[in-house]
Amino acid sequence: MTESLVGKPLADLEALAEALGEARYRGRQVAEWMYRKSAPSVAAMANLPKAFRERLARAHTVYGSEIEREETAGDGTRKLLVRFRDGQAAETVWIPGKARLTACVSSQVGCAVRCNFCASGLKGVVRDLTSPEILEQYFLQGVRTGKLPDHVVFMGMGEPFFNAEAVYGAIEVLIAPWGGALSARHVTVSTSGVVPGILEFARRGGQVRLSVSLHAADDAVRDGLVPINRKWPLAELADAIRTYQEAARRQVTFEYVLLDGVNADLSDALALARWVRPFRCSVNLIPYNAVEEFPHRPPSRDAARAFADRLREKGVRTTIRLRRGSDIAGACGQLRLREEKTP
Ligand code: SAH
Ligand code: SF4
Protein backbone atom coordinates (compact mmCIF):
# COMPACT_ATOMS: atom_id res chain seq x y z
CA MET A 1 0.00 0.00 0.00
CA THR A 2 1.23 3.51 -0.71
CA GLU A 3 1.97 5.91 2.10
CA SER A 4 0.50 9.40 2.10
CA LEU A 5 2.76 12.44 2.26
CA VAL A 6 0.32 14.91 3.77
CA GLY A 7 1.10 15.68 7.40
CA LYS A 8 4.80 14.93 7.09
CA PRO A 9 6.97 17.65 8.57
CA LEU A 10 9.63 19.36 6.46
CA ALA A 11 12.48 17.38 8.05
CA ASP A 12 10.84 14.08 7.08
CA LEU A 13 10.26 15.24 3.51
CA GLU A 14 13.90 16.33 3.22
CA ALA A 15 15.06 12.98 4.59
CA LEU A 16 12.76 11.20 2.15
CA ALA A 17 14.20 13.16 -0.79
CA GLU A 18 17.71 12.18 0.30
CA ALA A 19 16.72 8.55 0.75
CA LEU A 20 15.51 8.61 -2.85
CA GLY A 21 18.87 9.96 -4.05
CA GLU A 22 17.91 13.64 -4.35
CA ALA A 23 19.14 16.85 -2.75
CA ARG A 24 17.47 17.83 0.51
CA TYR A 25 15.88 20.96 -0.96
CA ARG A 26 13.66 18.74 -3.08
CA GLY A 27 11.89 17.89 0.18
CA ARG A 28 11.11 21.58 0.67
CA GLN A 29 9.72 21.72 -2.84
CA VAL A 30 7.44 18.79 -2.08
CA ALA A 31 6.24 20.65 1.05
CA GLU A 32 5.54 23.75 -1.03
CA TRP A 33 3.53 21.83 -3.60
CA MET A 34 1.57 20.03 -0.97
CA TYR A 35 1.02 22.74 1.65
CA ARG A 36 0.98 25.93 -0.41
CA LYS A 37 0.13 25.10 -3.99
CA SER A 38 -2.53 22.43 -3.38
CA ALA A 39 -0.97 19.86 -5.71
CA PRO A 40 -3.44 17.00 -6.09
CA SER A 41 -0.77 14.40 -6.80
CA VAL A 42 2.97 13.79 -6.96
CA ALA A 43 2.71 13.90 -10.76
CA ALA A 44 1.46 17.50 -10.55
CA MET A 45 4.62 18.74 -8.79
CA ALA A 46 5.86 20.25 -12.02
CA ASN A 47 9.32 21.56 -11.10
CA LEU A 48 10.54 18.25 -9.67
CA PRO A 49 12.60 16.04 -11.98
CA LYS A 50 10.38 13.49 -13.68
CA ALA A 51 12.50 10.58 -12.46
CA PHE A 52 12.18 11.78 -8.84
CA ARG A 53 8.43 12.13 -9.19
CA GLU A 54 8.22 8.61 -10.52
CA ARG A 55 10.35 7.19 -7.72
CA LEU A 56 8.38 9.12 -5.11
CA ALA A 57 5.03 8.06 -6.56
CA ARG A 58 5.98 4.40 -6.49
CA ALA A 59 5.41 4.24 -2.73
CA HIS A 60 3.64 7.54 -1.98
CA THR A 61 0.52 9.50 -2.74
CA VAL A 62 -0.12 13.04 -1.49
CA TYR A 63 -3.41 12.06 0.13
CA GLY A 64 -4.65 8.82 1.61
CA SER A 65 -8.30 9.83 1.54
CA GLU A 66 -10.84 10.91 -1.02
CA ILE A 67 -13.58 13.48 -1.21
CA GLU A 68 -16.56 11.32 -1.70
CA ARG A 69 -19.24 13.89 -1.79
CA GLU A 70 -19.53 17.62 -2.02
CA GLU A 71 -22.42 19.98 -1.49
CA THR A 72 -22.56 23.72 -1.93
CA ALA A 73 -25.10 25.87 -0.14
CA GLY A 74 -26.69 29.02 -1.51
CA ASP A 75 -24.29 31.20 0.50
CA GLY A 76 -21.16 29.52 -0.95
CA THR A 77 -20.52 27.22 2.02
CA ARG A 78 -19.19 23.89 0.82
CA LYS A 79 -19.41 20.71 2.75
CA LEU A 80 -17.09 17.83 1.86
CA LEU A 81 -17.39 14.26 3.02
CA VAL A 82 -13.89 12.80 3.27
CA ARG A 83 -13.61 9.03 3.10
CA PHE A 84 -10.54 7.62 4.86
CA ARG A 85 -8.62 4.52 3.85
CA ASP A 86 -10.38 2.28 6.35
CA GLY A 87 -13.79 3.28 5.00
CA GLN A 88 -14.67 5.67 7.83
CA ALA A 89 -15.72 9.19 6.91
CA ALA A 90 -15.73 12.65 8.42
CA GLU A 91 -16.89 15.97 7.19
CA THR A 92 -15.18 19.26 6.67
CA VAL A 93 -16.73 22.59 5.74
CA TRP A 94 -15.38 25.46 3.64
CA ILE A 95 -16.94 28.72 4.81
CA PRO A 96 -16.39 31.93 2.84
CA GLY A 97 -16.99 35.12 4.82
CA LYS A 98 -16.67 38.83 4.11
CA ALA A 99 -13.08 39.13 5.27
CA ARG A 100 -12.01 35.57 5.85
CA LEU A 101 -12.20 32.03 4.58
CA THR A 102 -12.68 29.42 7.29
CA ALA A 103 -12.17 25.67 7.30
CA CYS A 104 -14.15 23.71 9.87
CA VAL A 105 -12.50 20.34 10.49
CA SER A 106 -13.38 17.17 12.38
CA SER A 107 -11.07 15.64 14.98
CA GLN A 108 -12.81 12.27 15.43
CA VAL A 109 -15.31 10.02 13.66
CA GLY A 110 -18.35 10.31 15.91
CA CYS A 111 -18.04 11.71 19.41
CA ALA A 112 -17.97 10.18 22.88
CA VAL A 113 -19.50 13.21 24.59
CA ARG A 114 -22.94 12.53 23.12
CA CYS A 115 -24.58 15.89 23.66
CA ASN A 116 -28.28 15.42 23.48
CA PHE A 117 -28.82 17.66 20.47
CA CYS A 118 -25.83 16.79 18.27
CA ALA A 119 -25.74 14.44 15.28
CA SER A 120 -22.03 13.66 15.75
CA GLY A 121 -22.55 11.99 19.10
CA LEU A 122 -25.56 9.86 18.23
CA LYS A 123 -23.60 6.62 18.12
CA GLY A 124 -20.69 7.56 20.33
CA VAL A 125 -17.13 7.72 19.07
CA VAL A 126 -16.03 5.40 16.27
CA ARG A 127 -12.37 6.34 16.27
CA ASP A 128 -9.85 9.15 16.60
CA LEU A 129 -8.52 10.77 13.46
CA THR A 130 -4.76 10.90 12.95
CA SER A 131 -2.95 14.21 12.41
CA PRO A 132 -2.63 13.52 8.66
CA GLU A 133 -6.36 12.76 8.44
CA ILE A 134 -7.17 16.05 10.16
CA LEU A 135 -4.79 17.89 7.85
CA GLU A 136 -6.16 16.23 4.74
CA GLN A 137 -9.54 17.78 5.41
CA TYR A 138 -7.97 21.23 5.25
CA PHE A 139 -5.56 20.69 2.38
CA LEU A 140 -8.09 18.80 0.25
CA GLN A 141 -10.28 21.89 0.46
CA GLY A 142 -7.51 23.72 -1.38
CA VAL A 143 -7.31 20.98 -4.01
CA ARG A 144 -11.05 21.12 -4.50
CA THR A 145 -11.57 24.87 -4.53
CA GLY A 146 -8.18 26.25 -5.60
CA LYS A 147 -8.05 28.34 -2.44
CA LEU A 148 -6.81 27.48 1.05
CA PRO A 149 -8.73 28.95 3.99
CA ASP A 150 -6.92 31.42 6.26
CA HIS A 151 -8.79 30.33 9.40
CA VAL A 152 -9.27 26.86 10.87
CA VAL A 153 -11.82 25.92 13.54
CA PHE A 154 -12.00 22.51 15.20
CA MET A 155 -15.78 22.54 15.21
CA GLY A 156 -16.59 19.54 13.05
CA MET A 157 -17.20 16.09 14.46
CA GLY A 158 -15.54 15.04 17.66
CA GLU A 159 -14.18 16.43 20.92
CA PRO A 160 -10.69 17.78 20.11
CA PHE A 161 -9.41 17.34 23.69
CA PHE A 162 -10.27 13.64 23.60
CA ASN A 163 -7.81 13.37 20.69
CA ALA A 164 -5.45 16.10 21.78
CA GLU A 165 -2.12 14.72 20.53
CA ALA A 166 -3.38 14.36 16.96
CA VAL A 167 -5.00 17.80 17.12
CA TYR A 168 -1.80 19.46 18.37
CA GLY A 169 0.20 17.59 15.73
CA ALA A 170 -2.10 18.89 13.01
CA ILE A 171 -1.96 22.45 14.36
CA GLU A 172 1.85 22.34 14.25
CA VAL A 173 1.76 21.69 10.50
CA LEU A 174 -1.01 24.24 9.92
CA ILE A 175 1.02 27.04 11.50
CA ALA A 176 4.53 25.98 10.43
CA PRO A 177 6.15 28.42 7.98
CA TRP A 178 6.95 25.46 5.69
CA GLY A 179 3.41 24.11 6.17
CA GLY A 180 0.08 25.91 6.11
CA ALA A 181 1.75 29.12 7.41
CA LEU A 182 -1.47 30.11 9.13
CA SER A 183 -1.38 32.61 11.93
CA ALA A 184 -1.87 30.66 15.19
CA ARG A 185 -4.41 33.31 16.18
CA HIS A 186 -6.49 32.14 13.25
CA VAL A 187 -6.79 28.61 14.60
CA THR A 188 -9.55 27.86 17.15
CA VAL A 189 -10.07 24.70 19.18
CA SER A 190 -13.62 24.19 20.41
CA THR A 191 -14.26 22.00 23.45
CA SER A 192 -17.40 20.81 25.15
CA GLY A 193 -15.68 21.50 28.47
CA VAL A 194 -13.00 18.84 29.00
CA VAL A 195 -11.32 20.40 32.03
CA PRO A 196 -7.95 18.54 31.88
CA GLY A 197 -7.82 19.40 28.18
CA ILE A 198 -8.30 23.11 28.89
CA LEU A 199 -5.59 23.00 31.56
CA GLU A 200 -3.19 21.29 29.15
CA PHE A 201 -4.08 23.88 26.51
CA ALA A 202 -3.22 26.58 29.07
CA ARG A 203 0.10 24.91 29.89
CA ARG A 204 1.07 24.79 26.24
CA GLY A 205 0.67 28.55 25.90
CA GLY A 206 0.79 29.81 22.34
CA GLN A 207 -1.61 31.88 20.34
CA VAL A 208 -4.19 29.29 19.30
CA ARG A 209 -7.67 30.34 20.36
CA LEU A 210 -10.08 28.54 22.66
CA SER A 211 -13.81 28.23 22.29
CA VAL A 212 -15.99 26.57 24.96
CA SER A 213 -19.39 25.10 24.15
CA LEU A 214 -21.34 26.20 27.21
CA HIS A 215 -25.04 25.86 26.24
CA ALA A 216 -26.24 26.39 29.81
CA ALA A 217 -25.15 28.33 32.88
CA ASP A 218 -27.03 25.99 35.20
CA ASP A 219 -25.69 22.55 36.13
CA ALA A 220 -29.06 20.82 36.01
CA VAL A 221 -29.72 22.03 32.46
CA ARG A 222 -26.14 21.44 31.31
CA ASP A 223 -26.10 17.91 32.77
CA GLY A 224 -28.97 17.13 30.41
CA LEU A 225 -27.36 18.68 27.34
CA VAL A 226 -23.64 17.98 27.69
CA PRO A 227 -23.22 14.74 29.67
CA ILE A 228 -19.58 15.40 30.63
CA ASN A 229 -20.91 18.22 32.79
CA ARG A 230 -21.56 15.57 35.43
CA LYS A 231 -17.85 14.86 35.49
CA TRP A 232 -16.67 18.46 35.12
CA PRO A 233 -19.47 20.70 36.41
CA LEU A 234 -19.69 24.42 35.73
CA ALA A 235 -17.65 25.50 38.77
CA GLU A 236 -14.71 23.33 37.67
CA LEU A 237 -15.08 24.51 34.11
CA ALA A 238 -14.95 28.12 35.30
CA ASP A 239 -11.79 27.40 37.33
CA ALA A 240 -10.10 25.88 34.29
CA ILE A 241 -11.02 28.81 32.06
CA ARG A 242 -9.75 31.20 34.74
CA THR A 243 -6.44 29.32 34.86
CA TYR A 244 -6.25 29.49 31.07
CA GLN A 245 -6.93 33.21 31.00
CA GLU A 246 -4.37 33.87 33.71
CA ALA A 247 -1.77 31.95 31.71
CA ALA A 248 -2.66 33.10 28.23
CA ARG A 249 -4.44 36.43 28.66
CA ARG A 250 -6.58 35.55 25.67
CA GLN A 251 -10.21 36.06 25.02
CA VAL A 252 -12.44 32.98 25.08
CA THR A 253 -15.52 32.47 22.94
CA PHE A 254 -18.51 30.72 24.46
CA GLU A 255 -20.71 28.81 22.05
CA TYR A 256 -24.34 28.58 23.06
CA VAL A 257 -26.84 26.58 21.01
CA LEU A 258 -30.30 28.07 21.41
CA LEU A 259 -32.89 25.37 22.11
CA ASP A 260 -36.47 26.52 22.43
CA GLY A 261 -37.94 25.86 25.87
CA VAL A 262 -34.64 24.47 27.19
CA ASN A 263 -32.06 27.25 27.46
CA ALA A 264 -33.39 30.13 25.36
CA ASP A 265 -35.60 32.11 27.77
CA LEU A 266 -34.65 35.60 28.85
CA SER A 267 -34.01 34.30 32.36
CA ASP A 268 -31.42 31.94 30.81
CA ALA A 269 -29.80 34.95 29.13
CA LEU A 270 -29.45 36.65 32.50
CA ALA A 271 -27.93 33.54 34.09
CA LEU A 272 -25.55 33.25 31.14
CA ALA A 273 -24.53 36.90 31.43
CA ARG A 274 -23.77 36.40 35.12
CA TRP A 275 -21.74 33.27 34.41
CA VAL A 276 -19.57 34.71 31.66
CA ARG A 277 -19.06 38.14 33.19
CA PRO A 278 -15.78 37.27 35.02
CA PHE A 279 -14.13 36.33 31.72
CA ARG A 280 -12.69 38.28 28.85
CA CYS A 281 -14.99 36.73 26.34
CA SER A 282 -17.67 36.90 23.74
CA VAL A 283 -20.73 34.71 23.31
CA ASN A 284 -21.64 33.13 20.01
CA LEU A 285 -25.30 32.16 19.85
CA ILE A 286 -26.17 29.33 17.46
CA PRO A 287 -29.85 28.84 16.68
CA TYR A 288 -30.34 25.09 16.73
CA ASN A 289 -30.11 23.23 13.45
CA ALA A 290 -32.77 20.55 13.87
CA VAL A 291 -31.65 16.92 13.94
CA GLU A 292 -34.41 14.39 13.43
CA GLU A 293 -33.37 12.14 16.30
CA PHE A 294 -33.78 14.89 18.92
CA PRO A 295 -36.93 16.71 19.98
CA HIS A 296 -35.33 20.17 20.06
CA ARG A 297 -36.31 23.18 17.98
CA PRO A 298 -34.64 26.55 17.57
CA PRO A 299 -36.45 29.54 19.12
CA SER A 300 -38.09 32.05 16.79
CA ARG A 301 -35.87 34.69 15.19
CA ASP A 302 -37.40 37.34 17.44
CA ALA A 303 -36.78 35.26 20.56
CA ALA A 304 -33.15 34.66 19.52
CA ARG A 305 -32.70 38.38 18.91
CA ALA A 306 -34.23 39.24 22.28
CA PHE A 307 -31.86 36.77 23.93
CA ALA A 308 -28.89 38.42 22.24
CA ASP A 309 -30.13 41.89 23.18
CA ARG A 310 -30.48 40.90 26.80
CA LEU A 311 -26.86 39.68 26.85
CA ARG A 312 -25.68 42.90 25.22
CA GLU A 313 -27.60 45.00 27.74
CA LYS A 314 -25.61 43.20 30.38
CA GLY A 315 -22.38 44.16 28.67
CA VAL A 316 -21.62 40.79 27.03
CA ARG A 317 -20.18 40.89 23.51
CA THR A 318 -22.58 38.74 21.54
CA THR A 319 -22.94 37.47 18.00
CA ILE A 320 -25.62 35.27 16.49
CA ARG A 321 -24.14 32.81 14.02
CA LEU A 322 -25.58 33.15 10.58
CA ARG A 323 -27.30 29.96 9.59
CA ARG A 324 -24.53 29.06 7.24
CA GLY A 325 -25.14 26.16 4.98
CA SER A 326 -28.28 25.09 6.81
CA ASP A 327 -29.76 24.03 3.47
CA ILE A 328 -27.02 21.38 3.29
CA ALA A 329 -27.45 20.23 6.87
CA GLY A 330 -24.71 22.58 8.07
CA ALA A 331 -24.41 21.50 11.67
CA CYS A 332 -21.68 19.12 12.60
CA GLY A 333 -22.15 15.43 12.00
CA GLN A 334 -25.21 15.83 9.84
CA LEU A 335 -23.78 15.03 6.42
CA ARG A 336 -22.22 11.80 7.60
CA LEU A 337 -25.47 10.93 9.31
CA ARG A 338 -27.45 11.39 6.14
CA GLU A 339 -24.88 9.36 4.28
CA GLU A 340 -25.48 6.48 6.64
CA LYS A 341 -29.20 6.70 6.19
CA THR A 342 -29.10 6.67 2.39
CA PRO A 343 -26.57 3.98 1.48
N1 SAH B 1 -17.08 18.90 20.10
C1 SAH B 1 -16.68 20.25 20.13
C2 SAH B 1 -16.49 20.86 18.76
C3 SAH B 1 -17.44 20.47 17.67
S1 SAH B 1 -19.11 20.97 17.78
C4 SAH B 1 -17.66 21.07 20.91
O1 SAH B 1 -18.72 20.59 21.24
O2 SAH B 1 -17.31 22.20 21.21
C5 SAH B 1 -19.13 22.68 17.26
C6 SAH B 1 -20.33 23.46 17.82
O3 SAH B 1 -21.53 23.12 17.11
C7 SAH B 1 -20.58 23.16 19.27
O4 SAH B 1 -20.76 24.34 20.01
C8 SAH B 1 -21.83 22.32 19.22
O5 SAH B 1 -22.52 22.37 20.40
C9 SAH B 1 -22.58 22.92 18.05
N2 SAH B 1 -23.62 22.04 17.50
C10 SAH B 1 -23.65 20.70 17.45
N3 SAH B 1 -24.78 20.24 16.87
C11 SAH B 1 -25.50 21.34 16.55
C12 SAH B 1 -26.77 21.55 15.92
N4 SAH B 1 -27.50 20.54 15.51
N5 SAH B 1 -27.19 22.83 15.74
C13 SAH B 1 -26.42 23.87 16.13
N6 SAH B 1 -25.23 23.74 16.71
C14 SAH B 1 -24.76 22.48 16.93
FE1 SF4 C 1 -19.37 15.93 20.58
FE2 SF4 C 1 -19.33 18.59 20.28
FE3 SF4 C 1 -21.34 17.11 19.27
FE4 SF4 C 1 -21.14 17.41 21.91
S1 SF4 C 1 -21.52 19.04 20.39
S2 SF4 C 1 -21.53 15.48 20.81
S3 SF4 C 1 -18.93 17.43 22.16
S4 SF4 C 1 -19.22 17.04 18.64
Side-chain angles (χ1 to χ4, degrees):
M1 198 162 81
T2 54
E3 190 187 343
S4 47
L5 294 170
V6 69
K8 285 193 189 295
L10 177 62
D12 289 13
L13 294 169
E14 287 172 341
L16 181 61
E18 275 184 328
L20 293 174
E22 293 288 329
R24 284 180 77 74
Y25 78 90
R26 295 291 185 199
R28 183 175 286 276
Q29 287 178 316
V30 172
E32 268 167 24
W33 277 108
M34 187 160 60
Y35 296 136
R36 307 307 289 280
K37 298 192 212 159
S38 299
S41 64
V42 172
M45 300 181 174
N47 64 349
L48 298 182
K50 196 152 177 278
F52 175 45
R53 274 182 276 163
E54 281 169 5
R55 251 176 289 135
L56 189 59
R58 234 171 264 155
H60 297 88
T61 53
V62 179
Y63 299 102
S65 311
E66 278 172 20
I67 296 171
E68 182 171 286
R69 186 170 165 155
E70 174 174 351
E71 292 181 22
T72 306
D75 61 7
T77 302
R78 294 200 202 195
K79 190 156 190 158
L80 309 177
L81 187 75
V82 178
R83 181 75 62 187
F84 303 110
R85 279 184 199 246
D86 68 347
Q88 291 297 338
E91 53 200 41
T92 179
V93 191
W94 193 83
I95 310 163
K98 268 189 223 118
R100 59 173 67 173
L101 184 56
T102 304
C104 173
V105 298
S106 296
S107 55
Q108 300 179 304
V109 179
C111 183
V113 180
R114 311 194 76 163
C115 297
N116 111 318
F117 53 84
C118 171
S120 298
L122 271 170
K123 292 187 186 154
V125 67
V126 179
R127 73 167 171 87
D128 287 339
L129 295 180
T130 63
S131 294
E133 286 170 338
I134 293 169
L135 288 164
E136 277 181 302
Q137 299 171 51
Y138 173 78
F139 289 107
L140 277 169
Q141 290 189 9
V143 173
R144 198 56 160 223
T145 63
K147 214 169 162 199
L148 279 167
D150 43 45
H151 285 66
V152 173
V153 295
F154 284 82
M155 291 187 185
M157 269 198 284
E159 166 49 57
F161 288 156
F162 283 165
N163 187 21
E165 281 316 306
V167 166
Y168 288 128
I171 290 173
E172 236 165 74
V173 176
L174 287 172
I175 66 177
W178 47 260
L182 287 175
S183 157
R185 281 174 288 113
H186 293 176
V187 177
T188 302
V189 176
S190 174
T191 180
S192 54
V194 178
V195 162
I198 295 170
L199 294 175
E200 169 64 17
F201 190 81
R203 268 193 298 277
R204 281 176 175 257
Q207 309 269 313
V208 175
R209 288 181 190 275
L210 181 68
S211 185
V212 175
S213 295
L214 197 61
H215 310 322
D218 172 283
D219 275 316
V221 179
R222 197 164 192 270
D223 280 351
L225 294 176
V226 186
I228 61 163
N229 193 68
R230 292 190 205 109
K231 189 161 184 185
W232 296 297
L234 283 163
E236 278 185 44
L237 181 59
D239 280 346
I241 297 167
R242 205 169 300 124
T243 303
Y244 166 68
Q245 292 209 310
E246 278 162 13
R249 311 216 159 272
R250 301 223 158 274
Q251 175 160 313
V252 168
T253 303
F254 292 108
E255 308 282 318
Y256 193 100
V257 174
L258 290 169
L259 305 166
D260 193 33
V262 177
N263 66 356
D265 289 351
L266 292 182
S267 58
D268 299 313
L270 289 176
L272 174 60
R274 263 197 306 276
W275 201 89
V276 303
R277 198 168 315 144
F279 303 110
R280 293 211 299 138
C281 68
S282 62
V283 168
N284 187 18
L285 300 172
I286 318 169
Y288 185 54
N289 210 328
V291 175
E292 212 178 283
E293 283 77 1
F294 298 109
H296 304 297
R297 293 281 164 273
S300 70
R301 254 173 188 273
D302 284 350
R305 235 177 256 142
F307 192 98
D309 287 345
R310 186 55 56 90
L311 288 176
R312 291 183 186 124
E313 281 162 21
K314 294 288 167 191
V316 179
R317 276 185 48 192
T318 306
T319 55
I320 303 190
R321 186 181 290 180
L322 295 168
R323 306 202 67 191
R324 287 206 156 271
S326 55
D327 53 329
I328 52 167
C332 71
Q334 287 183 310
L335 183 63
R336 171 171 155 274
L337 191 69
R338 208 170 63 221
E339 197 73 14
E340 281 180 0
K341 284 180 183 161
T342 52

